[in-house]
Amino acid sequence: KQASDQLIIDAGQKQFGATTCSSCGMIYSADNPEDNFQHTQFHQRFLNSIKYVGWKKERVVNKFFEGKILLILADDPKYATKKAEEVRQVVDSELGFQQVTLSRPSQAKTYLFISTEGLVVGCVIAEPIRQAFRVLEQPDQNKDMTKDDFMERHRAWCCSTVPEQALCGISRVWVFSLARRQGIATRLLDTVRSTFMYGSYLTKQEMAFSDPTPDGKLFATKYCGT
Ligand code: ACO
Ligand code: ZN
């Protein structure tokens, strides 16, 4: 009896052999050499990219028990803009963005959520905009669509053709996979609203999300209360 139980457990592990690395968050199959290799390649590079060592001058725009939010502007010292760029590359590769340039790089504001362990666990890139197209609710979703189909559909048909006034475009929003659903993106966006334009607190309607992913859409819908 015991032996057959053991057999079932082993078979289960072979089939669902995915492991999540507890430091970099990558999901991979430890008993697949190629997967293992890819993880090794990714692991250190990723952790280096999100490591924050501390700067002599940093612009702290919010503080929490779990960490702080820094704002980085285009004309900040090189060490700061370099980190912002490094994190943007991590985010873009995770989002599958290739060479998506910012519309006005000199006006872009990068917000980084730094954990108490010194890791960049969240990032928002915000840009000034004048108008945006509202994301429209999809008629019923086909349940067995793949993630790619889903994204493709959303990208192609999601927007209204009527421009609406907006002031702040959210060009990227990203949270480290192991730190999601803890309100980090919410706190980043609340901080953007209070600091993006000097002297005014932006409403949720004055912000627009560009080209949201399925995750991004779920989050934005909840955040904007639409
Ligand atoms: N599924 C369903 N609801 C969600 C999800 C999700 N994946 N993510 C957020 N929400 C909703 C929930 O209602 C959540 O509240 P709850 O946890 O109390 O239920 C609420 O939004 C607030 O979520 P946060 O904890 O503030 O969001 P988080 O810090 O986890 O970050 C984000 C959300 C940025 C979308 C994250 O999942 C992520 O980085 N995903 C991968 C990258 C990505 O797709 N980014 C969006 C790209 S679009 C763009 O950049 C414009
Ligand atoms: Zn790892």
mmCIF file of all heavy atoms in Angstrom, residues 86-103:
data_model
loop_
_atom_site.group_PDB
_atom_site.id
_atom_site.type_symbol
_atom_site.label_atom_id
_atom_site.label_comp_id
_atom_site.label_asym_id
_atom_site.label_seq_id
_atom_site.Cartn_x
_atom_site.Cartn_y
_atom_site.Cartn_z
ATOM 1 N N GLU A 86 17.830 50.084 -16.006
ATOM 2 C CA GLU A 86 18.045 48.657 -15.769
ATOM 3 C C GLU A 86 16.723 47.981 -15.367
ATOM 4 O O GLU A 86 16.392 46.896 -15.857
ATOM 5 C CB GLU A 86 19.066 48.529 -14.624
ATOM 6 C CG GLU A 86 19.923 47.311 -14.668
ATOM 7 C CD GLU A 86 20.962 47.307 -13.541
ATOM 8 O OE1 GLU A 86 21.166 48.349 -12.869
ATOM 9 O OE2 GLU A 86 21.554 46.240 -13.329
ATOM 10 N N VAL A 87 15.979 48.636 -14.500
ATOM 11 C CA VAL A 87 14.689 48.081 -14.066
ATOM 12 C C VAL A 87 13.705 48.086 -15.239
ATOM 13 O O VAL A 87 12.969 47.122 -15.439
ATOM 14 C CB VAL A 87 14.125 48.855 -12.853
ATOM 15 C CG1 VAL A 87 12.713 48.396 -12.507
ATOM 16 C CG2 VAL A 87 15.044 48.685 -11.641
ATOM 17 N N ARG A 88 13.739 49.152 -16.036
ATOM 18 C CA ARG A 88 12.828 49.210 -17.184
ATOM 19 C C ARG A 88 13.074 48.039 -18.141
ATOM 20 O O ARG A 88 12.142 47.457 -18.689
ATOM 21 C CB ARG A 88 12.967 50.530 -17.945
ATOM 22 C CG ARG A 88 11.922 50.679 -19.062
ATOM 23 C CD ARG A 88 11.935 52.061 -19.671
ATOM 24 N NE ARG A 88 13.114 52.311 -20.481
ATOM 25 C CZ ARG A 88 13.216 51.986 -21.771
ATOM 26 N NH1 ARG A 88 12.228 51.381 -22.397
ATOM 27 N NH2 ARG A 88 14.318 52.258 -22.435
ATOM 28 N N GLN A 89 14.363 47.673 -18.297
ATOM 29 C CA GLN A 89 14.662 46.545 -19.178
ATOM 30 C C GLN A 89 14.104 45.232 -18.638
ATOM 31 O O GLN A 89 13.587 44.407 -19.392
ATOM 32 C CB GLN A 89 16.174 46.437 -19.398
ATOM 33 C CG GLN A 89 16.639 47.435 -20.444
ATOM 34 C CD GLN A 89 18.147 47.489 -20.573
ATOM 35 O OE1 GLN A 89 18.858 46.619 -20.084
ATOM 36 N NE2 GLN A 89 18.641 48.522 -21.238
ATOM 37 N N VAL A 90 14.189 45.049 -17.323
ATOM 38 C CA VAL A 90 13.611 43.859 -16.683
ATOM 39 C C VAL A 90 12.104 43.819 -16.939
ATOM 40 O O VAL A 90 11.540 42.798 -17.339
ATOM 41 C CB VAL A 90 13.888 43.879 -15.156
ATOM 42 C CG1 VAL A 90 13.000 42.893 -14.423
ATOM 43 C CG2 VAL A 90 15.346 43.595 -14.872
ATOM 44 N N VAL A 91 11.468 44.963 -16.719
ATOM 45 C CA VAL A 91 10.020 45.057 -16.887
ATOM 46 C C VAL A 91 9.639 44.794 -18.345
ATOM 47 O O VAL A 91 8.741 43.996 -18.629
ATOM 48 C CB VAL A 91 9.512 46.449 -16.446
ATOM 49 C CG1 VAL A 91 8.037 46.628 -16.756
ATOM 50 C CG2 VAL A 91 9.796 46.667 -14.958
ATOM 51 N N ASP A 92 10.336 45.435 -19.265
ATOM 52 C CA ASP A 92 10.015 45.266 -20.679
ATOM 53 C C ASP A 92 10.194 43.823 -21.132
ATOM 54 O O ASP A 92 9.398 43.320 -21.909
ATOM 55 C CB ASP A 92 10.862 46.205 -21.548
ATOM 56 C CG ASP A 92 10.348 47.630 -21.493
ATOM 57 O OD1 ASP A 92 9.366 47.879 -20.754
ATOM 58 O OD2 ASP A 92 10.904 48.497 -22.179
ATOM 59 N N SER A 93 11.234 43.161 -20.626
ATOM 60 C CA SER A 93 11.411 41.786 -21.085
ATOM 61 C C SER A 93 10.312 40.905 -20.499
ATOM 62 O O SER A 93 9.807 40.015 -21.168
ATOM 63 C CB SER A 93 12.815 41.269 -20.816
ATOM 64 O OG SER A 93 12.961 40.918 -19.478
ATOM 65 N N GLU A 94 9.871 41.199 -19.285
ATOM 66 C CA GLU A 94 8.773 40.419 -18.710
ATOM 67 C C GLU A 94 7.453 40.700 -19.431
ATOM 68 O O GLU A 94 6.628 39.809 -19.618
ATOM 69 C CB GLU A 94 8.641 40.709 -17.215
ATOM 70 C CG GLU A 94 7.711 39.717 -16.541
ATOM 71 C CD GLU A 94 7.657 39.852 -15.031
ATOM 72 O OE1 GLU A 94 8.699 40.134 -14.411
ATOM 73 O OE2 GLU A 94 6.558 39.666 -14.489
ATOM 74 N N LEU A 95 7.250 41.927 -19.854
ATOM 75 C CA LEU A 95 6.013 42.274 -20.551
ATOM 76 C C LEU A 95 6.061 41.900 -22.027
ATOM 77 O O LEU A 95 5.075 42.009 -22.735
ATOM 78 C CB LEU A 95 5.737 43.781 -20.437
ATOM 79 C CG LEU A 95 5.390 44.310 -19.047
ATOM 80 C CD1 LEU A 95 5.197 45.809 -19.088
ATOM 81 C CD2 LEU A 95 4.136 43.638 -18.528
ATOM 82 N N GLY A 96 7.251 41.483 -22.486
ATOM 83 C CA GLY A 96 7.407 41.146 -23.891
ATOM 84 C C GLY A 96 7.458 42.373 -24.787
ATOM 85 O O GLY A 96 7.223 42.286 -25.981
ATOM 86 N N PHE A 97 7.748 43.530 -24.206
ATOM 87 C CA PHE A 97 7.896 44.750 -25.002
ATOM 88 C C PHE A 97 9.255 44.703 -25.663
ATOM 89 O O PHE A 97 10.257 44.448 -25.020
ATOM 90 C CB PHE A 97 7.883 45.999 -24.110
ATOM 91 C CG PHE A 97 6.531 46.404 -23.599
ATOM 92 C CD1 PHE A 97 5.410 45.648 -23.858
ATOM 93 C CD2 PHE A 97 6.392 47.555 -22.836
ATOM 94 C CE1 PHE A 97 4.161 46.032 -23.372
ATOM 95 C CE2 PHE A 97 5.155 47.946 -22.339
ATOM 96 C CZ PHE A 97 4.037 47.190 -22.613
ATOM 97 N N GLN A 98 9.282 44.986 -26.956
ATOM 98 C CA GLN A 98 10.563 45.098 -27.617
ATOM 99 C C GLN A 98 10.708 46.509 -28.122
ATOM 100 O O GLN A 98 9.880 46.977 -28.893
ATOM 101 C CB GLN A 98 10.663 44.110 -28.770
ATOM 102 C CG GLN A 98 10.861 42.688 -28.254
ATOM 103 C CD GLN A 98 10.249 41.674 -29.196
ATOM 104 O OE1 GLN A 98 9.801 42.029 -30.272
ATOM 105 N NE2 GLN A 98 10.222 40.433 -28.771
ATOM 106 N N GLN A 99 11.712 47.166 -27.655
ATOM 107 C CA GLN A 99 11.999 48.503 -28.162
ATOM 108 C C GLN A 99 10.792 49.434 -28.114
ATOM 109 O O GLN A 99 10.534 50.164 -29.047
ATOM 110 C CB GLN A 99 12.466 48.435 -29.625
ATOM 111 C CG GLN A 99 13.624 47.495 -29.864
ATOM 112 C CD GLN A 99 14.958 48.189 -29.723
ATOM 113 O OE1 GLN A 99 15.215 49.183 -30.377
ATOM 114 N NE2 GLN A 99 15.790 47.693 -28.850
ATOM 115 N N VAL A 100 10.034 49.343 -27.036
ATOM 116 C CA VAL A 100 8.950 50.299 -26.904
ATOM 117 C C VAL A 100 9.549 51.557 -26.299
ATOM 118 O O VAL A 100 10.008 51.555 -25.163
ATOM 119 C CB VAL A 100 7.819 49.768 -26.000
ATOM 120 C CG1 VAL A 100 6.730 50.812 -25.823
ATOM 121 C CG2 VAL A 100 7.238 48.497 -26.581
ATOM 122 N N THR A 101 9.587 52.589 -27.101
ATOM 123 C CA THR A 101 10.217 53.811 -26.602
ATOM 124 C C THR A 101 9.177 54.665 -25.891
ATOM 125 O O THR A 101 7.991 54.589 -26.167
ATOM 126 C CB THR A 101 10.856 54.610 -27.748
ATOM 127 O OG1 THR A 101 9.872 54.718 -28.773
ATOM 128 C CG2 THR A 101 12.088 53.907 -28.279
ATOM 129 N N LEU A 102 9.653 55.450 -24.978
ATOM 130 C CA LEU A 102 8.765 56.364 -24.272
ATOM 131 C C LEU A 102 8.470 57.525 -25.206
ATOM 132 O O LEU A 102 9.318 57.904 -26.012
ATOM 133 C CB LEU A 102 9.456 56.858 -23.000
ATOM 134 C CG LEU A 102 9.774 55.755 -21.991
ATOM 135 C CD1 LEU A 102 10.786 56.220 -20.971
ATOM 136 C CD2 LEU A 102 8.508 55.292 -21.310
ATOM 137 N N SER A 103 7.274 58.089 -25.118
ATOM 138 C CA SER A 103 6.934 59.156 -26.067
ATOM 139 C C SER A 103 7.775 60.408 -25.828
ATOM 140 O O SER A 103 8.206 61.060 -26.761
ATOM 141 C CB SER A 103 5.441 59.459 -26.054
ATOM 142 O OG SER A 103 5.024 59.794 -24.763
#
